[in-house]
Amino acid sequence: MLLKRLIVCLDVRDRKVTKGVRFCGNVDLGDPVEMAKLYSADGADELVFYDITASAENRPIDLDMVRRTAENIFIPFTVGGGIRNVGDMRAALLAGADKVSLNSLAVRHPEVLTMGAKAFGSQCVVLGMDVRRNPDFASGYQVVTCGGRCPENLDALDWAQRAVALGAGEICLNAIDTDGVCQGYEMTITRLIAQAVRVPVIASGGAGKVDDLAEVLTVGKASAALVASMVHTGGFTCRGIKEELAARHLPVRLM
């Protein structure tokens, strides 16, 4: 049985980790490299870094931050934000990232998923999806880009399936409606997509207690659960979360 992964998300703005609710009201929390070291030592399976203002500011991702992180942790990490082309993907991977997350760029230029998969392997190409409930779409969920600012005429389930066909090797599915609320993941769309694609799906947005992770990893069929508020300010540790998941007979890596 494949192990379920616990992934910690670090949203970075002006070289500070920041966290908001439903993409609003962000509060700065600390240095991203130091927090990455902490979570790596505490048992996180992977980390995700999002440079959340890079795309809006039309600048590349902070490669110095990527390098310093790679030098200080020993677990895989994914970077996203400010990736404008395959050259930027290559630069991020050469700086030490293991995977690159493509969100707005993939929607605007879907061919980049195929180009990235051919150049680096599909295992390095993560489709980042921000979705919001919208009954006008067949799945009930709409794709949103530009950090939640731009609604797209894309059905979430259709886009996930198309992106995998183009070359995405993993999907990080973030539900805006539940993001930062700490009341549980968006189960419906997570399960829909996880059952419809052949690649791992990371559930993101809404974890507040271990029950939420256990539910999305079983009922929601997710391969991994991403957390932020729970460990940043919620009083949980990666080690403690995974011990509780193991006690519920979920297959996780324990240190």
Side-chain angles (χ1 to χ4, degrees):
M1 183 180 295
L2 291 177
L3 295 178
K4 300 291 189 178
R5 291 170 290 150
L6 176 66
I7 301 175
V8 176
C9 180
L10 301 173
D11 288 335
V12 179
R13 177 181 63 183
D14 298 327
R15 292 200 165 187
K16 295 288 185 183
V17 174
T18 184
K19 191 70 188 81
V21 176
R22 298 190 178 106
F23 288 22
C24 299
N26 286 62
V27 176
D28 291 343
L29 300 174
D31 177 78
V33 178
E34 292 303 314
M35 291 179 72
K37 289 165 61 177
L38 171 68
Y39 293 131
S40 177
D42 189 41
D45 294 303
E46 297 184 24
L47 296 173
V48 175
F49 276 67
Y50 289 126
D51 190 336
I52 63 172
T53 58
S55 294
E57 295 171 359
N58 194 30
R59 60 171 175 80
I61 195 166
D62 187 338
L63 290 176
D64 179 62
M65 180 190 70
V66 175
R67 290 190 193 95
R68 290 191 297 120
T69 301
E71 292 168 356
N72 283 279
I73 66 173
F74 302 96
I75 58 175
F77 77 109
T78 301
V79 298
I83 305 295
R84 301 164 298 183
N85 48 50
V86 173
D88 285 345
M89 295 175 68
R90 179 177 289 106
L93 293 169
L94 289 174
D98 297 279
K99 309 175 194 177
V100 175
S101 179
L102 306 176
N103 191 326
S104 300
L105 176 66
V107 171
R108 305 283 183 268
H109 302 284
E111 67 277 6
V112 75
L113 295 168
T114 304
M115 295 167 66
K118 288 182 176 178
F120 315 115
S122 61
Q123 77 282 353
C124 294
V125 181
V126 179
L127 176 71
M129 287 182 63
D130 296 326
V131 304
R132 176 177 286 144
R133 295 187 197 102
N134 187 329
D136 294 334
F137 289 79
S139 69
Y141 296 83
Q142 177 183 19
V143 173
V144 182
T145 59
C146 302
R149 293 183 293 274
C150 300
E152 303 289 342
N153 187 29
L154 280 177
D155 179 83
L157 180 58
D158 287 347
W159 174 229
Q161 292 175 305
R162 182 182 172 203
V164 170
L166 286 168
E170 189 168 54
I171 294 174
C172 186
L173 175 65
N174 188 56
I176 295 174
D177 299 292
T178 56
D179 181 75
V181 179
C182 299
Q183 294 181 355
Y185 294 92
E186 176 55 85
M187 296 292 296
T188 303
I189 190 59
T190 302
R191 185 182 178 96
L192 276 174
I193 290 177
Q195 291 182 316
V197 300
R198 54 176 176 77
V199 303
V201 172
I202 303 166
S204 171
K209 56 187 182 301
V210 177
D211 285 345
D212 298 332
L213 282 83
E215 183 181 28
V216 83
L217 292 171
T218 53
V219 179
K221 305 298 183 182
S223 298
L226 184 146
V227 296
S229 299
M230 269 184 79
V231 293
H232 295 341
T233 59
F236 289 86
T237 65
C238 297
R239 188 188 308 269
I241 291 170
K242 292 173 74 175
E243 287 175 349
E244 287 197 45
L245 291 174
R248 300 170 195 218
H249 308 293
L250 273 82
V252 295
R253 177 183 64 87
L254 295 175
M255 298 174 65

